[in-house]
Amino acid sequence: IPPRADPVLLASRIMGGGAGDSVVITEADIADDVPGGSRQLSSWLRKTRQNKIRKVVREVYLRDDIEPDTFEGADEILILDTNIVLHQIDLIAEDECVNHVVVPYTVLQEVRNRSMGTYARLRALCRVETGNAKEDKKAEEEMKEDPLQLKTSGRGPKHGAGIREQAKVALNAKNARRFYVFPNEFFRETYVERMPEESINDRNDRAIRRVAHWYRRHVVGPEVLLLTDDRACKAKALEDGLAALRASEFVERMRPKFPDAGEKLAMRDDDDGELPGGAVASTAPAATPRGVKRKGGAPASAFSGPGEKTLYPAHLKASQVELGLKQKRLFQGVLRMHMNTCMHGSVSCGGAEEIDISGRLAMNRATDGDIVVVQKLDGAGTDIQVLERAEKRLRREVGDAELGVSDAAPSVTDSIKESSTSAGSSERSQGRVVGIIKRNWREYCGTLRPLHAERQEEMAPGTYNKSDRVFIPADPRVPNIMIQTRHSSNLENKRIVVVLDAWDRFSHYPSGHWTKILGDVGDRDVESAVILHEHGVITREFGEAVYRCLPPSDWVPGEEDLEGREDLRGICVCSIDPPGCKDIDDAVSCEQLRNGNFRVGVHIADVTHFVHPDTAIDKEAAERCTTVYLVERRTDMLPGLLTTDLCSLRGKVERLTFSVLWEMTPEAEVVNTKFCKAIIKSQAAMSYAEAQARIDDSKDQSEIARSCRNLLKLTKKIRANRVAAGALELASQEVRFELDSETQDPTDVAEYQQRETNKLIEELMLLANQAVATKILNTFPMFGVLRRHPPPKDEQLKQLQKLLEKNGIYGFKFGSNKELSTSLNRVTKDEDPFFNTLVRIMTTRCMNQAVYFCTGDVQPALYSHYGLAMERYTHFTSPIRRYADVLVHRLLAAAIGISPLAEQLQSKSAIVEQCEKINVKHRNAQFAGRASADLHTFMFFNKKGGQTAEAVVTRIRRTGMQVNIPRYGIEGVVAMEEEDWEVQEEEQCILSKKEADVRIDIFQRILVHIEADNTDFRNRTRVKFERLLSDEDVMEKYSEVEESRKQVQKEMFPDMLEREAN
């Protein structure tokens, strides 16, 4: 047994043996079951990753030397339970009425197991601060080993306190809202054993109440309050004479002293016997609140309909869902809303089957991304008709004929998101949601619906009356949310962040509370912040722990850095990038050998020399996964000291690289390949235009010019071989971003054009990525990180083939990537130079997304990259902005014997999990970039006013058509009125209901009107159909259209950032 002055010793080990004798608990008198010894054993069964059951026995040494704090100046001492922390963390962390708080260690551990985000916030509130940076750091390190180094609310032995005692003194002076962790699991008087047949939740509830009893016995003066939203826990606490309050009751009690109390209070509802997921709070999506469920009728919430009326059907119980899934009567899947609405969606139920869900009642309070249980409706239509009649009644009660449908114009970004998750337009079954297994609630950005003038007077600044406001999310796939606030006037015309709290079956809308004000509606920086937040982009500043991983800013390579590296400082190396690029992560070289061959080199910044596995900077990069580019800003994956300085391969500066060297014949045939870490000194950092000028200048016979000319000759042959193998050259209407030039020079961006030097760099990067992929796969066949591109969607390509045949173009084949590449090169119209580009854009829409994957998780037959016509491919060339490249660098270093394989890359499950995270982050980054382009398009037309232009129809959708507008370089979605037009999505045409001979087909030229549309504050660009263009209408000249597009993009994207495609 350790000395009483020592910290708690906790040891867990796997061992056999039976459980100890049961203990009779008398909760009201905590002296009845205080353990007699200082050593206790607790045991439980655990399932391992290998699906084996093991018994775990924990040996706990109990202290008896803790004394209560004095809590000077406190009126109340608040004891928190797990339920309150999980669902009211915003209130706890930000409301001034919550102070002098005791967090039992039981609660801290429960929260840690359920929600790491909430745990991090709670832990930050309880952090040790001494005012001394060195001691703070030491304490932080100690806390990692011993969680009880968090500030505790009991006084330990005076001779062993050290940093904790200093922290307590500092906190008394610095932190009026005091939070403490009480080590109840390691204190004799508050330790409780689990009773036979007692659940873990009930035992933990009892342990929390034991802490409240102990404080009530030992603290004189302040009232001890147990805060819990668990009905059963509160009832038992009251039976034992404890003072227990729900969060809402506590807020009302504190309001006379704190008029603004409860602004961040989560509006909780009591469940109605539904699945546990139906009441999950957004702060802890996986958590399930404990307590008694509400049966039958209940008082209407602040946002419910009149009286006790039930608006939505109750969700099924967990047992009913389990039985229904086994019997194949019910189906489970993820709900994905359709474009621009929260009333229509589909559920993918595994395999190819999808079930459509239409209407608010059929949705039954499910939101986009929820894992739901659905029931198919009667195919004969009886169930559907009943549901439609109920839906109409609901709309009449709400007073909104378009409940859940946004009037804002749909965007092409929405269309792309929908098509990427849709399984096609085939006939689907109809269904309704009968249960929600797991909520996908998150923080939502948006704006409050404006008040009428008379209500604005009621909510004038300075008033503390709580008002109900309707929050309109920026994402139309999310329903409006009701919030209560005393800051109504301060939130007017602001972009705010709202968290969903609950949605019971008595309320038309979900309820929530606001957490943050982002800024004014319409401000470009604020709107960009909304885009980043909505797409889950991490925008926080890098923490101190990350900066501690960096070398000093004046770092230069030393002898220890050069150990094991090739010295390539003597060869001619240069970089070719967009103008003004500062984060140069690749350089190239070409030397002629005596045998007539060439030694070609690709040199990539050695980021992993500074970013070591499992360090703070590595964990941060692993969470961010990618640098995110908007039109006017970027959010970095790594700190700027690395990206723009120490890892940037600038001219005339020595830098560390990971290099790939080939010996090539003059015909670009690879003789051998070498991988090595090296040090280089780049001779020049050139832009694409500068490099092209030196190549074209025959008088320039410098070593750099000759090297670039040789590289250009070789890469032309490499490209020809790749295209001959079937590599695709596709087109995209979206703005292309390159590495941040940081010049914010609109001329360079607007006049940016593809040169031969662009293709030179592209081919060398592709070749390096391919070579590295082959090497790491051969060395680590089970742990490789590669990138694969599945073949395109066959059904959509067949549809494109039919459309081309209708326009007199036959022989469009796509049996292989080579056939498709050949077909795309042949699809031309002499009278329309833009036609081939348009077809390539449409082909791009048929493509699947390329994804990162672990080679041990995918069959080798699926490794190939369709678009590049490569059997093996990965990303190696941009470790500054992609975490996948960082992983590949580590794999390659291990493959050539430079360093051991990192632990994270020795677990297939860990690699799979990281690859999935990278894929999600990468996809969100792409959508964020498109949304930023949509925002700037809106701002352009908002300033210019409505414009009329020629457009080409590229796709027919359920409610209209998608068009390409060459003059402005944009795409848009045109909604067609149902009473005037019949949309035939299957036939890809639209027929007029008023004029029998009027028909709109794919590739048809039409005239459209473009205008800014800020309905519901969603910053959209609305495109309206005006008329068909006949053969007599003169087609716009391609050259004039291109010139106009360049001029428009100067105004639309005045400070566009650039980044490389590779």
Side-chain angles (χ1 to χ4, degrees), residues 271 274-280 287-289 293 316-318 436-437:
D271 288 343
E274 303 175 359
L275 281 173
V280 172
T288 304
K293 309 295 185 183
L316 297 181
K317 298 180 184 296
I436 301 175
I437 292 178

Side-chain angles (χ1 to χ4, degrees), residues 602-617:
V602 167
H603 313 279
I604 305 302
D606 190 4
V607 172
T608 53
H609 183 77
F610 304 97
V611 181
H612 301 292
D614 207 32
T615 57
I617 192 170

Side-chain angles (χ1 to χ4, degrees), residues 394-435:
L394 177 62
R395 292 188 183 187
R396 284 197 301 269
E397 291 173 6
V398 178
D400 183 1
E402 298 296 325
L403 177 66
V405 179
S406 172
D407 291 329
S411 71
V412 175
T413 301
D414 293 331
S415 173
I416 294 169
K417 285 181 181 179
E418 182 176 335
S419 62
S420 68
T421 56
S422 174
S425 56
S426 57
E427 200 68 31
R428 297 177 185 149
S429 303
Q430 294 288 317
R432 66 186 183 98
V433 174
V434 295

Side-chain angles (χ1 to χ4, degrees), residues 239 276 407 436 552 664 801 803 825 921 1038 1061:
E239 286 176 8
D407 291 329
I436 301 175
M664 290 186 188
Q801 182 186 51
L803 296 173
N825 291 332
K921 292 286 188 179
Y1038 183 72

Side-chain angles (χ1 to χ4, degrees), residues 60-124:
V60 182
Y61 291 96
L62 301 179
R63 300 168 58 173
D64 57 5
D65 55 5
I66 297 178
E67 299 176 11
D69 199 282
T70 57
F71 290 99
E72 295 178 5
D75 295 323
E76 300 95 8
I77 299 172
L78 306 181
I79 313 293
L80 304 183
D81 84 338
T82 308
N83 190 291
I84 283 284
V85 174
L86 287 173
H87 302 302
Q88 301 288 355
I89 188 62
D90 291 322
L91 175 77
I92 293 168
E94 300 179 33
D95 205 310
E96 291 185 357
C97 72
V98 180
N99 51 48
H100 297 289
V101 177
V102 174
V103 181
Y105 186 72
T106 302
V107 171
L108 195 69
Q109 290 303 101
E110 274 199 291
V111 172
R112 183 177 187 175
N113 293 333
R114 295 190 183 196
S115 172
M116 283 303 297
T118 305
Y119 171 75
R121 292 185 68 182
L122 183 63
R123 190 174 182 274

Side-chain angles (χ1 to χ4, degrees), residues 802-1021:
K802 291 179 182 178
L803 296 173
L804 290 171
E805 289 175 352
K806 287 183 180 179
N807 282 265
I809 297 174
Y810 298 91
F812 184 80
K813 298 180 180 179
F814 47 85
S816 66
N817 47 8
K818 184 173 176 59
E819 278 190 352
L820 180 57
S821 178
T822 303
S823 298
L824 288 173
N825 291 332
R826 290 205 312 256
V827 176
T828 58
K829 282 187 176 181
D830 295 336
E831 70 277 10
D832 186 0
F834 184 67
F835 183 76
N836 184 263
T837 301
L838 190 62
V839 173
R840 290 180 187 273
I841 291 172
M842 296 172 68
T843 305
T844 302
R845 295 283 187 261
C846 301
M847 292 292 149
N848 286 304
Q849 283 234 333
V851 293
Y852 299 100
F853 68 100
C854 173
T855 52
D857 192 53
V858 176
Q859 293 296 322
L862 303 177
Y863 287 1
S864 63
H865 196 292
Y866 182 89
L868 297 175
M870 293 181 179
E871 288 300 314
R872 305 291 181 261
Y873 187 71
T874 192
H875 273 162
F876 164 78
T877 53
S878 289
I880 284 177
R881 63 182 178 89
R882 290 188 305 232
Y883 189 69
D885 300 53
V886 174
L887 298 179
V888 170
H889 275 230
R890 290 173 182 159
L891 284 164
L892 182 59
I896 62 177
I898 292 178
S899 61
L901 187 62
E903 186 176 343
Q904 71 177 141
L905 294 172
Q906 297 181 35
S907 166
K908 187 176 78 170
S909 60
I911 298 173
V912 169
E913 183 180 351
Q914 185 63 54
C915 285
E916 289 174 353
K917 182 186 292 186
I918 293 173
N919 289 328
V920 170
K921 292 286 188 179
H922 180 71
R923 188 162 53 247
N924 285 347
Q926 287 183 318
F927 287 140
R930 289 175 180 143
S932 181
D934 290 344
L935 169 64
H936 283 74
T937 303
F938 162 81
M939 295 171 67
F940 172 80
F941 287 106
N942 195 42
K943 179 181 177 182
K944 284 284 184 181
Q947 304 288 319
T948 301
E950 180 180 313
V952 183
V953 180
T954 59
R955 184 180 177 187
I956 304 298
R957 304 187 58 82
R958 286 186 301 272
T959 57
M961 54 189 171
Q962 195 166 307
V963 299
N964 186 292
I965 309 170
R967 177 167 290 278
Y968 294 104
I970 62 173
E971 290 183 284
V973 177
V974 182
M976 305 297 281
E977 296 295 334
E978 191 175 345
E979 58 268 20
D980 297 331
W981 300 91
E982 180 186 347
V983 179
Q984 297 184 356
E985 187 177 5
E986 291 296 325
E987 296 298 322
Q988 286 290 286
C989 67
I990 301 177
L991 306 177
S992 173
K993 292 182 178 179
K994 295 182 177 179
E995 301 177 54
D997 58 340
V998 175
R999 174 189 174 110
I1000 302 175
D1001 291 299
I1002 302 296
F1003 301 121
Q1004 187 108 29
R1005 290 190 303 129
I1006 62 175
L1007 200 66
V1008 295
H1009 182 75
I1010 315 161
E1011 62 185 15
D1013 173 27
N1014 200 26
T1015 304
D1016 291 339
F1017 306 99
R1018 285 182 174 139
N1019 300 330
R1020 299 299 175 85
T1021 302

Side-chain angles (χ1 to χ4, degrees), residues 43-47 53-56 194:
S43 62
W44 65 93
L45 299 178
R46 182 173 67 87
K47 188 177 182 180
I53 304 299
R54 289 191 175 179
K55 186 173 186 178
V56 179
R194 184 177 172 187

